Amino acid sequence: MSDIAEFISGYSYKGTELTDSTIAMATIKNFDRKGGFKLDGYKEIIPSSKLKESQHAELFDTLVAHTDLTQNAEVIGNAEPVMSKSGYDDIVFSMDLVKVLPKKDGVSKYLITAILQDKKFKAHCLGYVNGTTVLHLSKKALPEYKLFLPSDFSTLKPLDEVVTALYKQVSSNISENTYLEELRESLLPKLMSGELDVSDIEI
């Protein structure tokens, strides 16, 4: 994996930095135990000057969980792309996560995510886990993961196009669901109070 990607460790924060902010931090709480990226896992933060430029996360950047509070290792080794910024101006990611970025032409961030969401990668990671109460994934797990790739990366283009379209569609669905939920929360109290009257609307 180290031949096609680079690995960036997350931001080591202090509890005092967690406060109301337009900046959110992605954490292992963003990782659903059954798979998927949970928007309610974000923590608002005002990071210190120690935050590195590389510790910001953009839409569709792949994050891999390196810590797990579950004894069944349900989260550790899971890879999830940032599917939504959830209205925040900026996203950073915590020390419990590692960002994986492609470094080869012909290998996109979408393809990186697809590779790391394969069950084979999860099985590989379980051999690199240590700890008792809190599980930790060795920093060697990602770079030492072996996979078969063609010598000519251009042959991956059709697969890349498919996974890119899929991840973008999922992100679009998440954004639409979020909008509809906000609309529901805004309209429901007005309907219940009688502020809005829909009795004359023909359906």
Side-chain angles (χ1 to χ4, degrees):
M1 196 69 189
S2 58
D3 291 339
I4 63 169
E6 59 177 321
F7 317 103
I8 301 163
S9 298
Y11 175 60
S12 180
Y13 66 96
K14 295 180 180 179
T16 53
E17 297 172 30
L18 298 176
T19 184
D20 293 346
S21 173
T22 59
I23 300 173
M25 180 172 63
T27 69
I28 56 172
K29 290 187 178 296
N30 288 98
F31 287 67
D32 192 301
R33 293 186 181 191
K34 296 180 181 179
F37 190 81
K38 295 168 60 181
L39 299 184
D40 59 3
Y42 283 133
K43 294 181 178 179
E44 294 187 357
I45 187 172
I46 299 179
S48 72
S49 58
K50 293 181 180 180
L51 177 70
K52 299 176 182 177
E53 187 63 33
S54 60
Q55 292 171 328
H56 294 264
E58 299 298 329
L59 204 60
F60 301 114
D61 280 351
T62 307
L63 302 175
V64 178
H66 273 59
T67 304
D68 199 339
L69 300 177
T70 71
Q71 289 305 299
N72 294 329
E74 295 170 315
V75 170
I76 200 164
N78 290 6
E80 295 292 346
V82 178
M83 299 305 283
S84 171
K85 288 191 173 183
S86 202
Y88 289 103
D89 294 339
D90 193 12
I91 302 294
V92 300
F93 60 101
S94 76
M95 57 190 171
D96 298 316
L97 310 176
V98 168
K99 181 170 70 172
V100 185
L101 294 177
K103 66 178 183 181
K104 285 275 190 182
D105 290 338
V107 179
S108 72
K109 60 173 68 178
Y110 307 97
L111 196 55
I112 289 290
T113 299
I115 289 170
L116 297 181
Q117 287 190 325
D118 190 296
K119 292 180 180 179
K120 292 178 183 178
F121 176 68
K122 175 71 174 188
H124 162 83
C125 287
L126 294 179
Y128 286 77
V129 173
N130 56 70
T132 52
T133 305
V134 179
L135 302 180
H136 297 281
L137 182 65
S138 169
K139 297 292 185 183
K140 295 180 180 180
L142 274 163
E144 291 184 1
Y145 181 53
K146 294 182 179 180
L147 63 158
F148 295 101
L149 289 172
S151 55
D152 182 4
F153 287 120
S154 65
T155 58
L156 293 172
K157 187 176 180 181
L159 174 61
D160 200 340
E161 290 176 347
V162 170
V163 296
T164 296
L166 287 173
Y167 286 120
K168 285 186 174 181
Q169 184 61 56
V170 171
S171 178
S172 176
N173 291 347
I174 289 172
S175 296
E176 185 175 0
N177 286 342
T178 300
Y179 169 73
L180 291 174
E181 287 172 2
E182 291 172 351
L183 191 61
R184 179 194 64 199
E185 296 304 315
S186 173
L187 291 177
L188 197 56
K190 295 180 180 180
L191 288 169
M192 297 294 288
S193 66
E195 184 180 343
L196 285 179
D197 183 7
V198 295
S199 59
D200 292 335
I201 295 178
E202 294 184 9
I203 298 177

